[in-house]
Amino acid sequence: MAEKNTVEVVIDGKIYQLSGNATEGYMHEVASYLNQKVLDFKKMVANYNKLDDNLKALLLEINICDDLFHEQDKTRKFEREKDEAERECYSLKHDLVNYQMKLENNIKELADTQKRLAELEAKLAARDARDNALTGDDKVTSITTGARKKN
C-alpha cells in the first residue's frame, strides 16, 4: 500500500492540511490550481470577497467541472484521432503487404523473363552459327591460283 502523505497548503489565504496517497508535489499542484481559479474569480466577479462562502464554493465547483468537461472533450477528440490514425496505419500496412507481394511476383516474373531471354539468345546464336556453316560464310570464298609458265 502506498505511503500516505500529509502536506500543508494555502488556498485563498487559508492554511489547510491535505492528506493522501499522492505525492506532496501533486498536492501542491492541486492547491496551486485552486488558488489560480480563486484569483480568476476575484478578477472577473465584482465584490467576490463579499459573496457567501457557499456561493464562492459553488462557483469554484462549477468552473472546475467546466474545466473537466473541456478536458474530457479534448480526450475524446484525441482518442477519435488516435483511432483514425490506427485505422489508417492498418490500411497502409495492408497496402504495403500487397505491394510487397506484387513486387515479389514482378521480381519472379522478371527472373523468368530473363531466363527465357537467355534461352532465346542461345537458340538464336546456335541458329546463326548453323546458318553460317550452311552458307559457307565462314569459309574462304576465293582461291587465287596461278600457273607459271615455263620459259
Side-chain angles (χ1 to χ4, degrees), residues 34-86:
L34 289 174
N35 276 320
Q36 186 59 51
K37 282 292 186 186
V38 170
L39 285 174
D40 292 345
F41 277 123
K42 287 180 178 180
K43 291 177 185 175
M44 291 187 316
V45 178
N47 299 321
Y48 175 81
N49 288 331
K50 294 181 182 179
L51 295 177
D52 177 63
D53 284 344
N54 288 332
L55 185 55
K56 288 179 187 177
L58 180 61
L59 286 172
L60 188 61
E61 291 165 357
I62 289 171
N63 276 271
I64 290 172
C65 285
D66 182 55
D67 289 348
L68 172 66
F69 291 165
H70 284 293
E71 292 304 316
Q72 286 174 337
D73 286 343
K74 287 180 191 176
T75 300
R76 282 190 288 273
K77 177 185 173 197
F78 289 137
E79 285 174 353
R80 282 191 303 272
E81 290 174 357
K82 179 184 133 277
D83 290 344
E84 184 179 316
E86 286 175 350

Side-chain angles (χ1 to χ4, degrees), residues 4 12 16 25-26 31 48 57 63 72 76 80 82 85 90-92 95-96 106 108 114 133 135 141:
K4 190 172 186 177
D12 194 22
Y16 295 93
Y26 177 78
Y48 175 81
N63 276 271
Q72 286 174 337
R76 282 190 288 273
R80 282 191 303 272
K82 179 184 133 277
Y90 176 79
S91 176
L92 291 172
D95 291 346
L96 177 62
N106 288 343
K108 184 180 181 300
Q114 287 174 331
T135 60
T141 57

Side-chain angles (χ1 to χ4, degrees), residues 27-38:
M27 289 188 275
H28 280 289
E29 192 175 335
V30 169
S32 176
Y33 174 81
L34 289 174
N35 276 320
Q36 186 59 51
K37 282 292 186 186
V38 170

